[in-house]
Amino acid sequence: MKLTTNIFSTALAGLTLLLACGAAQGADTNKGRQLFAANCAICHGQTGRSVMPGAPNFDRGEGLLRPDFTLLTAIRSGKNAMPAFQGILPDRDILDVIAYLRTLH
Ligand code: HEC
């Protein structure tokens, strides 16, 4: 019985550590919001409601039904009227913005 409790608390401690690390490495939506306001809102709108014809409305979830990596590639290389952000924003920052985009809907 004592042994079971020990195993359980060890597992729990491990899990807590794992969650703490995950959170530390996870995307920062707060930073994403600031980056979006500075780099993307001019076309995609402060609230994600597009102010440019042809740009997706993120507040309706448009353009976001794709994995993060696909969106990262599109933002890096640009798409039609959207400029490329490679060399302007590091991938880490773009991923923060993507995480933020997913909160707009
Ligand atoms: C100059 C205007 C402009 C700026 C600035 C801009 N975008 Fe876009 N964005 C567009 C347009 C237009 C499209 C639609 C492209 C198409 O599908 O023809 C688009 C499409 C997208 C898509 C959908 C991509 C896809 O695969 O369909 C994402 C995601 C996106 N933008 C994110 C961003 C982010 C994040 C930023 C800022 C880092 C940004 N955009 C800055 C105009 C812009």
Side-chain angles (χ1 to χ4, degrees), residues 22-68:
Q25 286 169 7
D28 182 347
T29 51
N30 209 35
K31 189 173 177 202
R33 180 171 49 77
Q34 293 165 12
L35 291 166
F36 179 83
N39 297 282
C40 324
I42 188 170
C43 298
H44 290 286
Q46 289 293 342
T47 60
R49 173 57 54 95
S50 161
V51 290
M52 182 192 196
N57 291 297
F58 298 135
D59 65 345
R60 292 188 192 149
E62 287 172 15
L64 299 178
L65 291 176
R66 274 160 256 213
D68 286 359

